[in-house]
Amino acid sequence: MVTRARTIAVVGAGWAGLSAAVRLVDAGHRVTVFDAARDVGGRARAFNWQPPQMPPERLDNGQHIMIGAYREMLELLRHVGCPPETVLRREPLTLIDSRGLHFKAGRLFAPLHLLSGMLFARGLTLADRLAMARLMMRARRAHFRIGADRSVEAWLLEQRQPASLIARVWAPLCVAALNTPMHIASAQIFLNVLRDSLGAERGASDFLLPTTPLDQIVPAHATRYLQAHGATLALGQLVERIDLTDTGVSIRLREEEMRFDGLIAAVAAHRIKALIGHLPGTAWAKLATLCDGFHWQPITTIYLYYDEALALPAAMMALEEKPLEGAFGQWLFARGALGGNPRSVAVVISAEGRHRDVDGAELERMVARQLRNQAGITAHLVAAQTVTEKRATFAAVPGLLRPNNQTPSPHIALAGDYTESDYPATLEGALRSGRIAAGLLVKTLRQGSD
Ligand SMILES: Cc1cc2nc3c(=O)[nH]c(=O)nc-3n(C[C@H](O)[C@H](O)[C@H](O)COP(=O)(O)OP(=O)(O)OC[C@H]3O[C@@H](n4cnc5c(N)ncnc54)[C@H](O)[C@@H]3O)c2cc1C
């Protein structure tokens, strides 16, 4: 129950900011959401594109996948009036690669669904399958905790995982989940993801594949919900700095200053310093330095368009990455199977690597060649569009320090995928952080008015 409706600014209309704003209007507050961009969605958004001689469409700034363990996302979608099945296709965890690997989680109860999947996986040797099952059982017995954190690669070697299994299963899973190469990725964060997906109930490891552009998932529905609940969306408005006042906060926009009772900063970590770096005192300085200290990893998505509809064996398959031979693609998505143009595919290259040295058009040609060799796509390439997000996610490295959602002022809370959590940078982490930040602010504002 609200004692008094307060005015609250949410800076950033990514998934974290939208999640926070929904919780704030639910608590009865008057919310204004600011974003420097003209569209909501932040790093999970869509844009218009017109492939030559084909109808215009909306492309994502990068192919995303979600999993059944994203409980916050599923709950939020229902809450804002979007049945998840209308925008996401649920399918059991399936790992198919271009070299004959076929792993599918079984229909039994957890953890037998996984064990049966591992034991009956095609395309892996018996030794590989047993090593994988052993590792998962050992991790489960240890409650998915390791002592001192180390790299995923070091941990897998300690666990005596065969090189072939690391290359075909663990390395692609690590880079897909953490967007960080396994030689620098945190084993503990990787285990946290395994715990909540492969180690949890059967549905948690299901893939939830978007069947609409990303902006039609949380962004469109949350926006509609916010507007119906009296919130204001101020898009194309860069917040230049945040200051504290006697009773709350003020924000500086290009041409005006506005005052609020409270604020949630829901911008990416590297944007925090510009907003709060000038605030006096060591606590603010420490926070600004912590947020500025993240290292970043890119994600490139290459959309390829062909002269005919494509028939691919699965909506999503792993490609064999051979950087020395110019085969950089890691995952292939059949867009036709996911509600998109059936003449197109999306190829994802996560994390840093040699592909970053190759010019865009050349990279598109190389990926098309890889698809000819590995996925049997012989149709003629007619167009391509590449999107690289240089700061797609923070690098999920061992011993990473992350700020929690509180700040030195009770009037300001932080939301964003980078805030304290045991997850890597994910949509789910962003949404959870929004709920936590909103809860903190609602509580302190209520205390202030008692
Ligand atoms: C290509 C790509 C693929 C990904 N794949 C997956 C995936 O498969 N699964 C998954 O779970 N996650 C994935 N992620 C990660 C996921 O997209 C992010 O974790 C999530 O979107 C982060 O949301 P956020 O709200 O914390 O931050 P952001 O999305 O960065 O939102 C911050 C917002 O703040 C705005 N802003 C910044 N500064 C200011 C300012 N001064 N004033 C006003 N506005 C400001 C920005 O414009 C932005 O809209 C992927 C990310 C990328 C880029």
Side-chain angles (χ1 to χ4, degrees):
M1 207 191 72
V2 214
T3 10
R4 179 155 70 87
R6 301 303 193 110
T7 56
I8 301 182
V10 175
V11 182
W15 289 42
L18 292 172
S19 156
V22 166
R23 307 301 173 188
L24 291 169
V25 296
D26 285 349
H29 294 295
R30 292 204 299 277
V31 176
T32 307
V33 184
F34 295 89
D35 202 295
R38 301 220 159 264
D39 295 309
V40 298
R43 274 171 281 155
R45 62 182 188 281
F47 61 95
N48 291 327
W49 196 60
Q50 165 100 56
Q53 280 138 39
M54 283 182 241
E57 58 178 315
R58 289 200 52 86
L59 285 185
D60 295 341
N61 67 314
Q63 175 71 47
H64 280 58
I65 67 166
M66 296 78 153
I67 55 171
Y70 282 19
R71 285 195 309 272
E72 184 77 24
M73 180 190 72
L74 295 170
E75 191 276 322
L76 180 70
L77 282 173
R78 289 190 195 100
H79 185 72
V80 296
C82 173
E85 61 281 8
T86 60
V87 290
L88 298 166
R89 179 170 127 178
R90 183 182 274 268
E91 50 180 64
L93 169 73
T94 308
L95 197 55
I96 294 177
D97 79 7
S98 52
R99 286 175 287 167
L101 169 69
H102 194 289
F103 166 89
K104 188 169 186 169
R107 296 196 170 278
L108 303 170
F109 291 109
L112 296 180
H113 71 306
L114 193 66
L115 276 181
S116 64
M118 287 174 185
L119 294 175
F120 294 110
R122 292 201 304 267
L124 289 177
T125 63
L126 179 64
D128 283 353
R129 285 179 279 150
L130 290 174
M132 187 164 48
R134 244 189 341 262
L135 177 129
M136 279 307 290
M137 285 193 301
R138 238 183 268 138
R140 181 179 265 274
R141 271 201 304 276
H143 304 287
F144 295 91
R145 300 291 313 165
I146 51 172
D149 200 359
R150 45 203 175 271
S151 75
V152 170
E153 186 175 47
W155 174 70
L156 290 171
L157 292 174
E158 277 164 36
Q159 298 293 322
R160 298 177 189 277
Q161 295 291 288
S164 54
L165 182 65
I166 294 180
R168 288 186 69 186
V169 175
W170 295 124
L173 279 185
C174 171
V175 87
L178 271 57
N179 193 34
T180 308
M182 67 170 185
H183 67 279
I184 57 164
S186 154
Q188 187 56 65
I189 300 180
F190 187 53
L191 274 159
N192 299 340
V193 176
L194 293 184
R195 175 198 66 209
D196 288 358
S197 52
L198 303 186
E201 84 276 1
R202 193 177 75 195
S205 60
D206 287 350
F207 286 140
L208 302 176
L209 301 172
T211 52
T212 65
L214 281 174
D215 61 341
Q216 295 305 309
I217 307 180
V218 164
H221 291 88
T223 301
R224 229 170 281 142
Y225 183 91
L226 288 171
Q227 284 167 337
H229 287 75
T232 304
L233 265 92
L235 300 179
Q237 298 271 5
L238 176 81
V239 174
E240 294 177 348
R241 63 184 258 161
I242 299 169
D243 283 292
L244 297 172
T245 64
D246 292 344
T247 54
V249 295
S250 74
I251 61 169
R252 191 161 80 202
L253 302 165
R254 185 179 298 192
E255 279 167 3
E256 64 178 314
E257 199 168 292
M258 295 177 77
R259 288 174 174 249
F260 295 89
D261 296 320
L263 179 142
I264 291 183
V267 302
H270 66 286
R271 303 273 180 211
I272 289 287
K273 194 172 179 184
L275 292 177
I276 55 121
H278 58 280
L279 293 174
T282 49
W284 285 108
K286 263 192 188 161
L287 179 60
T289 308
L290 185 57
C291 292
D292 222 30
F294 285 86
H295 293 284
W296 296 88
Q297 288 283 336
I299 298 182
T300 297
T301 304
I302 300 163
Y303 294 96
L304 298 177
Y305 289 78
Y306 291 89
D307 63 348
E308 60 187 59
L310 305 168
L312 291 164
M316 170 184 172
M317 67 187 268
L319 295 165
E320 188 182 0
E321 194 188 351
K322 292 194 270 190
L324 292 178
E325 296 171 28
F328 295 114
Q330 296 164 347
W331 295 92
L332 168 64
F333 292 83
R335 296 188 67 240
L338 297 171
N341 185 331
R343 289 164 59 179
S344 67
V345 293
V347 173
V348 175
I349 310 176
S350 291
E352 62 202 14
R354 286 170 185 246
H355 64 282
R356 302 280 294 125
D357 302 330
V358 181
D359 139 80
E362 179 58 13
L363 184 61
E364 288 160 0
R365 276 193 292 276
M366 290 166 115
V367 168
R369 193 170 62 223
Q370 183 183 5
L371 296 191
R372 220 173 13 251
N373 297 335
Q374 296 187 7
I377 299 183
T378 51
H380 289 290
L381 185 68
V382 292
Q385 173 76 353
T386 296
V387 190
T388 294
E389 290 277 0
K390 290 189 188 139
R391 284 195 172 106
T393 71
F394 59 80
V397 294
L400 188 63
L401 283 181
R402 297 162 72 169
N404 66 28
N405 305 87
Q406 271 172 321
T407 72
S409 164
H411 295 277
I412 302 178
L414 297 181
D417 60 358
Y418 68 93
T419 56
E420 197 171 81
S421 126
D422 60 5
Y423 263 35
T426 56
L427 297 167
E428 176 71 3
L431 294 174
R432 285 187 197 176
S433 76
R435 180 175 47 75
I436 295 169
L440 276 173
L441 202 59
V442 167
K443 196 166 153 208
T444 54
L445 291 180
R446 189 183 294 152
Q447 280 162 356
S449 69
D450 286 344

